[in-house]
Amino acid sequence: QQQVKQSPQSLIVQKGGISIINCAYENTAFDYFPWYQQFPGKGPALLIAIRPDVSEKKEGRFTISFNKSAKQFSLHIMDSQPGDSATYFCAASIRSQGGKLIFGQGTELSVKP
Amino acid sequence: DAGVTQSPTHLIKTRGQQVTLRCSPKSGHDTVSWYQQALGQGPQFIFQYYEEEERQRGNFPDRFSGHQFPNYSSELNVNALLLGDSALYLCASSLVGRGPYEQYFGPGTRLTVT
């Protein structure tokens, strides 16, 4: 029940295209859903996050869509660029329990020029 | 504004040895969490420290222990190293009381156990 399942495992997108990564969870107590971007040899960097009382959040080219009834959320990267090539992780936490993050397995994104 | 820093960057140890990893949180943050990231996997939560006490713990054995100092910096200690402890160890800092507990990660320490 503590798992977060992420798909796809890898994704190849052409420059200018839309990258879509999906995550699903079981624990309805989760109330904070961040996305992290990780480049090789680096730590994860917080990209964007959403709370379950909001169905969509947009920051620049990055958008999180949240479907509470389906217990799913997704990351959309618009106008994908080669510099977006990285591994993306979704995560979930329960804020009242100190914010321990449960991560998905990761999606390796490659944006081709 | 300094971000989260970790030391050392890389470390090679022999099975059975002990290791200490260090973390300095982002300026203004008071909570430190440690994660283990195996190759090709998402980070796994080890434990979290706030006010110099372990506040939460993940599914890791007692060989993993930690400490937080009055200046909020933290150490992760691993005893009796196993080959399976080889991983990237990440430290994340956050500010308690300011939801939603945004956690900022350091660059990690790459531990190799031979």
Side-chain angles (χ1 to χ4, degrees):
Chain A
Q1 201 180 21
Q2 286 288 318
Q3 283 187 325
V4 176
K5 295 184 178 180
Q6 184 172 345
S7 63
Q9 188 174 349
S10 62
L11 182 62
I12 299 175
V13 174
Q14 290 298 122
K15 178 182 175 182
I18 302 173
S19 303
I20 302 174
I21 304 170
N22 302 297
C23 283
Y25 63 97
E26 289 296 323
N27 190 348
T28 55
F30 286 142
D31 59 2
Y32 175 63
F33 301 88
W35 283 88
Y36 284 84
Q37 177 190 59
Q38 186 175 30
F39 292 104
K42 304 292 185 183
L46 180 62
L47 259 183
I48 185 172
I50 198 167
R51 292 164 52 176
D53 54 350
V54 176
S55 62
E56 186 175 281
K57 183 175 181 180
K58 183 177 181 179
E59 289 185 3
R61 295 185 295 110
F62 301 93
T63 299
I64 299 179
S65 296
F66 188 84
N67 187 330
K68 189 173 181 178
S69 61
K71 292 185 284 186
Q72 295 176 347
F73 58 110
S74 60
L75 176 70
H76 296 231
I77 306 175
M78 312 300 288
D79 188 25
S80 299
Q81 299 296 314
D84 297 330
S85 297
T87 300
Y88 292 81
F89 292 97
C90 62
S93 72
I94 304 170
R95 288 175 292 160
S96 63
Q97 293 184 7
K100 160 189 168 182
L101 290 169
I102 307 296
F103 282 86
Q105 299 91 329
T107 296
E108 188 174 353
L109 172 65
S110 178
V111 181
K112 300 299 185 184
Chain B
D1 179 20
V4 180
T5 60
Q6 292 185 243
S7 63
T9 304
H10 295 89
L11 204 51
I12 299 174
K13 289 288 188 177
T14 302
R15 190 173 50 184
Q17 286 188 317
Q18 179 265 345
V19 68
T20 297
L21 311 181
R22 295 175 176 82
C23 170
S24 290
K26 183 178 169 67
S27 178
H29 284 184
D30 57 8
T31 301
V32 172
S33 302
W34 286 91
Y35 294 79
Q36 180 194 65
Q37 185 177 25
L39 201 61
Q41 302 294 318
Q44 298 287 317
F45 177 80
I46 303 174
F47 44 53
Q48 183 182 81
Y49 277 84
Y50 171 66
E51 291 188 334
E52 302 179 48
E53 291 190 357
E54 183 181 292
R55 199 167 104 147
Q56 266 194 330
R57 189 177 184 92
N59 190 25
F60 280 80
D62 292 344
R63 298 187 298 108
F64 289 77
S65 64
H67 188 78
Q68 185 179 35
F69 299 94
N71 67 353
Y72 307 118
S73 67
S74 176
E75 288 182 350
L76 164 66
N77 301 291
V78 187
N79 295 322
L81 284 167
L82 303 174
L83 297 179
D85 294 332
S86 296
L88 180 67
Y89 287 86
L90 295 162
C91 167
S93 74
S94 55
L95 182 61
V96 165
R98 179 176 179 265
Y101 301 119
E102 296 171 348
Q103 294 189 31
Y104 295 88
F105 284 82
T109 294
R110 172 70 63 187
L111 172 65
T112 301
V113 183
T114 63

